[in-house]
Amino acid sequence: MSSTPTIFISEVGDHANEKVRVKGWLYNRRSSGGIHFLQIRDGTGLIQGVLKADHVDDELFEYAADLKLESSLIVTGQVNEDERAPIGYEINVDNLEAYQAVEEDYPISRKEHGVGFLMDNRHLWIREKGAAPVLRIRHEFLQGLREFFDNSGLIATEGPILTGVSVEGTTTLFETDYFGESAYLTQSSQLYLEATAAALGQVYWIGPVFRAEKSKTRKHLTEFWMAEAELSWVEHDENLDFQEKMLNYTVNQVAEKRSGELEELGVDVDDLIRKVELPFPRITYEEAIDIVNDAGVSMEHGEDFGAPAETALGDHFNKPVFIEMFPREIKPFYMEPTEDGEKAFTADLIAPDGYGELIGGSQRIDDLEILQRRMEEAGLPEEPYQWYLDLRKYGSVPHSGFGLGVERTITWICGLDHVRETIPFPRQINRIYP
Amino acid sequence: MSSTPTIFISEVGDHANEKVRVKGWLYNRRSSGGIHFLQIRDGTGLIQGVLKADHVDDELFEYAADLKLESSLIVTGQVNEDERAPIGYEINVDNLEAYQAVEEDYPISRKEHGVGFLMDNRHLWIREKGAAPVLRIRHEFLQGLREFFDNSGLIATEGPILTGVSVEGTTTLFETDYFGESAYLTQSSQLYLEATAAALGQVYWIGPVFRAEKSKTRKHLTEFWMAEAELSWVEHDENLDFQEKMLNYTVNQVAEKRSGELEELGVDVDDLIRKVELPFPRITYEEAIDIVNDAGVSMEHGEDFGAPAETALGDHFNKPVFIEMFPREIKPFYMEPTEDGEKAFTADLIAPDGYGELIGGSQRIDDLEILQRRMEEAGLPEEPYQWYLDLRKYGSVPHSGFGLGVERTITWICGLDHVRETIPFPRQINRIYP
């Protein structure tokens, strides 16, 4: 019986000059002058195993010479400090055993592939250097959000995925048969969170939402995750304060805990931290229109911002910027109007560097009659929203909320070209496999 | 300008003998001899506001006399210790203002209602004493799970909700049109987590899953949440060690942080903690059959456990019990068989008190040929599972995982009669509103 401890690669720093066992996969390899250099990954990190012909018997050295990429391995050896290694250590391999020696060549060799091929092999692609760090950053980003919400006294709650009503119209909904009735996959849990907020005070959820949009852009998925919050007794300005503190906290958590992954992706971490320094600029819709036009992107009052306009705004401020007080008529029915009815207490948070809208939020209408009038104008029937109207009949309070696009925000943090790389198994108009 | 601090009711202990402002709702009321006793809730707690005729002007006293339940209120007054109050304090009200004074009587008065009526008014019911604490316990239970997973080094990841394949057959799937193709709402993320585990080591997700089952029992919803984990390099016994530590940790977290809520629901907290003391008994399928039959519930070898059998097992041990090593043929295709092919390395965790199966788990087949044979026997086509088979071609490792039913487990912790009370907006065969 050996007493060699089995460790994760992320723990090698605690085992310098000790003999350890690592279980992982052969990520890459080269051989040179009687030495095999074996890159071993285990999900927590990557380390080089050095297998020397003069240190092991011939049979083992030959065996290792034939191992194909992604073979699963159990490796024992001594952890040595090596300042040239990214992780600071390497393993001087004493023994090595493949649990499964790969027979066919691994489809994703460590060279360039087209995106279509990588997406078809997404189940393998997520093991690669450019892909796995993004998923670890996603983990940290979502944990950071939850931590911020919990520290702020919010209660995690859930809206249903299957609903009889839609928040923003029915044209882009996935529909399913629900025991003879029509049901739709939710596009947002907002309305439901308004109900749980009236029960629990301040609430959030992080969950999947759906849009059956035919658009093929680098910012859209048909299935994506939202972080949504609803805050009882909170009005417009305080809603923005909350959002900017949330993004500041979460990005700093990611920067602190996943700096290695960010650097692997080529992110300038100091610049990222600078970008989320508080406060974020807040400008009105009108001011934004002027900036966009000054930047040479033609846009008229009453229009919503398209991608070129959002890019112009991002370039102007070079950090996230709130665009406040949109015209009421280009925003959804539930947003609190100003006294003259022209504007709404709403704000979109636009990312720098052309990444577009990260957060959309507003104060919600709390007056029953105004809400009914807006629903009528929007052509929405009252009956399926009866429960939502009840919230204004029985103890209505001023309240505000927002939704953050999880993939959109991670795309920005990681400096990626496309949202599809920020979720393990992306769903797009032409993709539901794997 | 007043400098009176606005606080949450949960914070009154930090403000004894101080003047505070509380924003909330009128939960209940009674009046007696020149005093209004106003129960005020704000989502974080419940406190009694005492409004004395000889302390405020007549107009305010009359105004308060007419306020209906669930009116939204802003209350100021001094926090006084009162050992008779459940929370230990009450507020001696100086001033009180309704943000919205309810006009129609609140539909859920504080008396008994039928379940159908309560479910139709679920958006209001969640404010009530029997309902809101369950949702706060749900929050704590899910946070406890995440904490355990994170402390154990797992990475949070996600399976897709929309899939082209099903894990356990297609008869109970919700189907939707996906731009001309058929897509199904997932019943489990397990297969996808096996892929992310091979990339990231050890992974989990907590997310919604769907079963279009026509069964109407107190243990089933059509939309419910699972906590699923997949652990690379972990075999059967270690899988069970992990699960029992997880449940022990999580229940203790809930007991520590939500003892007030548990007591409100009538849960014996000490007994709950005792029930999750480690280790949990582990018995074989055969031993379980004998116990069930000895208890007078007739059952033959080769059958799966029904509700009466699960109740008998729960009564026998009076704590959660693992039933191990089921016959291979009554379990799903992906479970690792014993060498003779008769059994599978599988375990169900059965709750005491008749609450049934909380967790189902197993070691997964890691050999490609055995997996292909099992899929053929199960009548599953290979093509849609090609990506899943790839996981056995390229670096297969021994691995295990499990799925915990979130609502089922919370139902047990809270000692409730029905799973529908453990999720904000339950979906059942006859219910998709509100």
Side-chain angles (χ1 to χ4, degrees):
Chain A
M1 296 302 286
S2 156
S3 64
T4 307
T6 298
I7 65 162
F8 291 124
I9 292 172
S10 59
E11 300 167 334
V12 287
D14 302 332
H15 297 271
N17 305 315
E18 290 174 23
K19 193 171 168 178
V20 299
R21 177 179 293 107
V22 164
K23 297 176 174 182
W25 291 265
L26 182 59
Y27 184 73
N28 212 344
R29 60 172 307 148
R30 68 185 173 84
S31 297
S32 165
I35 306 180
H36 298 315
F37 298 96
L38 307 172
Q39 302 288 332
I40 299 155
R41 66 168 190 87
D42 74 346
T44 73
L46 191 72
I47 196 164
Q48 178 161 273
V50 180
L51 186 67
K52 294 178 183 156
D54 62 9
H55 183 68
V56 298
D57 62 34
D58 291 354
E59 200 182 348
L60 180 62
F61 194 77
E62 289 306 314
Y63 175 73
D66 291 334
L67 282 173
K68 289 185 188 292
L69 297 190
E70 286 300 321
S71 291
S72 51
L73 300 178
I74 302 168
V75 175
T76 51
Q78 180 164 308
V79 175
N80 291 330
E81 291 192 48
D82 177 12
E83 57 186 31
R84 292 161 306 172
I87 195 173
Y89 300 89
E90 59 179 28
I91 293 178
N92 190 23
V93 178
D94 296 330
N95 202 355
L96 171 161
E97 186 190 335
Y99 181 81
Q100 189 236 349
V102 168
E103 291 172 18
E104 298 172 33
D105 278 342
Y106 187 60
I108 304 183
S109 49
R110 268 77 209 189
K111 60 188 180 195
E112 289 287 317
H113 290 282
V115 166
F117 177 83
L118 289 172
M119 292 290 284
D120 286 341
N121 288 283
R122 181 67 180 165
H123 55 294
L124 303 176
W125 184 22
I126 52 177
R127 304 178 180 187
E128 301 300 300
K129 270 187 174 168
V134 179
L135 298 186
R136 285 197 289 269
I137 288 167
R138 180 185 174 99
H139 161 89
E140 214 63 66
F141 177 72
L142 293 175
Q143 299 308 77
L145 277 180
R146 285 202 178 86
E147 239 174 72
F148 180 82
F149 290 142
D150 294 343
N151 294 344
S152 305
L154 277 67
I155 296 287
T157 178
E158 291 86 15
I161 306 297
L162 292 167
T163 65
V165 311
S166 77
V167 178
E168 300 181 9
T170 58
T171 51
T172 56
L173 292 171
F174 289 106
E175 188 176 349
T176 189
D177 173 69
Y178 193 82
F179 307 106
E181 289 182 71
S182 275
Y184 306 96
L185 302 193
T186 189
Q187 294 193 315
S188 162
S189 276
Q190 179 201 316
L191 306 192
Y192 291 97
L193 294 188
E194 289 183 60
T196 54
L200 303 170
Q202 308 203 328
V203 300
Y204 73 97
W205 99 310
I206 301 176
V209 298
F210 304 84
R211 291 198 189 198
E213 270 178 306
K214 289 204 171 158
S215 60
K216 273 176 77 170
T217 85
R218 61 190 183 84
K219 292 179 191 164
H220 290 89
L221 299 168
T222 58
E223 173 181 331
F224 55 104
W225 284 62
M226 293 272 277
E228 300 185 88
E230 288 294 325
L231 310 170
S232 294
W233 300 99
V234 164
E235 301 184 32
H236 177 68
D237 288 335
E238 204 185 327
N239 190 23
L240 273 52
D241 297 344
F242 186 91
Q243 290 169 44
E244 66 182 8
K245 276 185 212 145
M246 171 188 75
L247 197 62
N248 172 280
Y249 178 87
T250 312
V251 168
N252 274 286
Q253 284 291 308
V254 171
E256 188 186 316
K257 295 184 181 164
R258 297 289 169 183
S259 60
E261 280 85 353
L262 288 168
E263 281 158 15
E264 236 180 294
L265 297 171
V267 174
D268 180 340
V269 179
D270 291 337
D271 187 54
L272 181 64
I273 291 172
R274 184 202 60 73
K275 279 179 176 148
V276 294
E277 274 171 12
L278 297 181
F280 296 169
R282 300 178 187 190
I283 59 172
T284 63
Y285 172 84
E286 267 73 27
E287 289 166 338
I289 298 271
D290 290 344
I291 290 168
V292 167
N293 279 301
D294 286 350
V297 179
S298 175
M299 196 182 151
E300 288 184 26
H301 284 257
E303 285 184 62
D304 207 343
F305 300 94
E310 289 178 343
T311 301
L313 288 165
D315 288 348
H316 185 89
F317 291 98
N318 197 25
K319 61 183 299 183
V321 52
F322 285 111
I323 317 295
E324 293 183 274
M325 309 305 293
F326 278 66
R328 196 201 57 158
E329 69 264 25
I330 62 169
K331 285 290 179 184
F333 73 90
Y334 47 74
M335 295 187 173
E336 177 81 4
T338 50
E339 207 153 305
D340 64 8
E342 294 294 313
K343 307 278 174 188
F345 288 97
T346 170
D348 289 353
L349 184 70
I350 307 295
D353 311 314
Y355 284 91
E357 183 187 331
L358 303 183
I359 304 179
S362 74
Q363 187 168 337
R364 319 308 192 185
I365 296 172
D366 59 64
D367 182 84
L368 178 62
E369 282 177 32
I370 296 175
L371 183 61
Q372 284 172 316
R373 200 156 61 236
R374 291 289 289 129
M375 285 177 63
E376 200 183 329
E377 286 167 14
L380 293 169
E382 280 205 7
E383 199 201 335
Y385 293 92
Q386 201 54 59
W387 64 269
Y388 185 64
L389 294 169
D390 275 355
L391 306 178
R392 277 70 185 172
K393 274 188 208 161
Y394 305 110
S396 195
V397 300
H399 63 291
S400 301
F402 61 87
L404 173 144
V406 168
E407 287 75 20
R408 197 76 75 83
T409 307
I410 297 170
T411 307
W412 168 63
I413 290 172
C414 294
L416 298 173
D417 287 337
H418 202 299
V419 288
R420 69 185 159 216
E421 293 175 38
T422 61
I423 189 166
F425 296 95
R427 295 298 181 239
Q428 298 169 271
I429 176 167
N430 55 354
R431 173 153 312 275
I432 194 162
Y433 176 95
Chain B
M1 296 300 287
S2 158
S3 64
T4 307
T6 298
I7 65 163
F8 291 123
I9 292 172
S10 59
E11 300 166 335
V12 286
D14 303 332
H15 297 271
N17 305 316
E18 291 173 24
K19 191 170 169 180
V20 299
R21 176 180 294 106
V22 164
K23 297 177 173 181
W25 292 265
L26 182 59
Y27 185 73
N28 213 344
R29 61 172 306 147
R30 67 184 173 86
S31 297
S32 166
I35 306 180
H36 298 315
F37 298 96
L38 308 170
Q39 303 288 331
I40 299 155
R41 66 168 189 89
D42 74 346
T44 74
L46 190 72
I47 197 164
Q48 178 161 277
V50 180
L51 186 67
K52 293 178 185 157
D54 61 10
H55 182 67
V56 298
D57 61 34
D58 291 354
E59 199 181 351
L60 180 63
F61 194 78
E62 289 307 313
Y63 175 72
D66 290 334
L67 282 172
K68 288 186 187 291
L69 298 190
E70 284 302 319
S71 291
S72 51
L73 299 179
I74 301 168
V75 174
T76 51
Q78 179 164 310
V79 176
N80 290 331
E81 291 192 48
D82 177 13
E83 57 189 28
R84 292 160 305 172
I87 196 172
Y89 299 90
E90 60 179 26
I91 293 178
N92 189 22
V93 178
D94 296 329
N95 202 355
L96 170 161
E97 186 190 336
Y99 181 81
Q100 190 237 347
V102 168
E103 292 172 17
E104 298 173 34
D105 278 341
Y106 187 61
I108 305 182
S109 49
R110 268 76 208 189
K111 61 187 180 195
E112 290 286 316
H113 289 283
V115 166
F117 177 83
L118 289 172
M119 292 291 283
D120 287 341
N121 288 284
R122 181 65 179 164
H123 55 293
L124 302 176
W125 184 23
I126 52 178
R127 304 177 180 188
E128 300 301 298
K129 271 188 174 166
V134 178
L135 297 186
R136 285 197 289 269
I137 288 167
R138 179 184 175 100
H139 162 89
E140 214 63 67
F141 177 72
L142 293 176
Q143 299 307 77
L145 277 180
R146 286 205 178 85
E147 238 173 73
F148 181 82
F149 290 143
D150 294 343
N151 294 344
S152 306
L154 276 67
I155 296 287
T157 179
E158 292 86 15
I161 305 298
L162 292 167
T163 66
V165 312
S166 77
V167 178
E168 299 180 9
T170 57
T171 51
T172 56
L173 292 171
F174 288 107
E175 188 176 348
T176 188
D177 173 69
Y178 193 81
F179 306 106
E181 290 181 70
S182 275
Y184 306 95
L185 301 193
T186 189
Q187 294 192 316
S188 161
S189 277
Q190 179 202 316
L191 306 192
Y192 289 97
L193 294 188
E194 289 184 60
T196 54
L200 303 170
Q202 308 203 328
V203 301
Y204 73 97
W205 99 311
I206 301 176
V209 298
F210 304 84
R211 293 201 186 194
E213 270 178 306
K214 291 204 171 159
S215 58
K216 273 177 79 169
T217 85
R218 61 190 184 85
K219 293 180 191 165
H220 290 90
L221 298 168
T222 58
E223 174 182 331
F224 55 104
W225 284 62
M226 293 270 280
E228 299 185 270
E230 288 294 324
L231 310 171
S232 294
W233 301 100
V234 163
E235 301 184 32
H236 176 67
D237 287 335
E238 205 186 326
N239 189 23
L240 272 53
D241 296 344
F242 186 91
Q243 290 169 45
E244 67 182 7
K245 275 184 213 146
M246 172 188 74
L247 196 63
N248 172 280
Y249 178 87
T250 312
V251 168
N252 274 286
Q253 283 291 307
V254 171
E256 188 187 316
K257 296 184 180 165
R258 297 289 170 184
S259 60
E261 281 85 354
L262 288 168
E263 281 159 15
E264 236 181 294
L265 297 170
V267 174
D268 180 339
V269 179
D270 291 336
D271 187 54
L272 181 65
I273 292 172
R274 184 202 60 72
K275 278 180 176 148
V276 295
E277 274 172 14
L278 298 181
F280 297 169
R282 299 178 187 190
I283 60 171
T284 64
Y285 171 83
E286 267 74 27
E287 289 165 339
I289 297 270
D290 290 345
I291 291 169
V292 167
N293 279 301
D294 286 351
V297 179
S298 175
M299 194 180 151
E300 290 185 24
H301 283 258
E303 283 183 62
D304 208 343
F305 300 94
E310 290 178 345
T311 301
L313 287 165
D315 288 349
H316 185 89
F317 290 99
N318 198 22
K319 60 184 297 184
V321 52
F322 284 112
I323 316 296
E324 293 185 273
M325 309 306 293
F326 277 66
R328 197 200 57 157
E329 69 265 24
I330 62 170
K331 284 291 178 183
F333 73 90
Y334 48 72
M335 295 188 172
E336 177 81 2
T338 49
E339 206 153 305
D340 64 8
E342 294 295 313
K343 306 277 175 190
F345 288 96
T346 172
D348 290 352
L349 184 69
I350 307 295
D353 310 315
Y355 284 92
E357 183 188 330
L358 302 183
I359 304 179
S362 73
Q363 188 167 338
R364 318 309 192 186
I365 296 172
D366 59 64
D367 182 84
L368 179 62
E369 281 177 31
I370 296 175
L371 183 59
Q372 284 172 317
R373 199 155 60 238
R374 290 290 288 127
M375 284 177 63
E376 201 183 327
E377 285 168 15
L380 293 169
E382 279 204 8
E383 200 201 332
Y385 292 92
Q386 201 52 62
W387 65 270
Y388 185 64
L389 294 169
D390 275 356
L391 306 179
R392 277 70 184 173
K393 275 188 203 159
Y394 304 112
S396 194
V397 299
H399 63 291
S400 302
F402 61 87
L404 172 144
V406 168
E407 287 75 22
R408 197 78 73 82
T409 308
I410 297 169
T411 307
W412 168 62
I413 290 172
C414 294
L416 298 173
D417 286 337
H418 201 297
V419 288
R420 70 186 158 213
E421 293 174 39
T422 62
I423 189 166
F425 296 95
R427 295 298 182 240
Q428 297 171 272
I429 177 167
N430 55 353
R431 176 155 307 278
I432 194 165
Y433 177 96

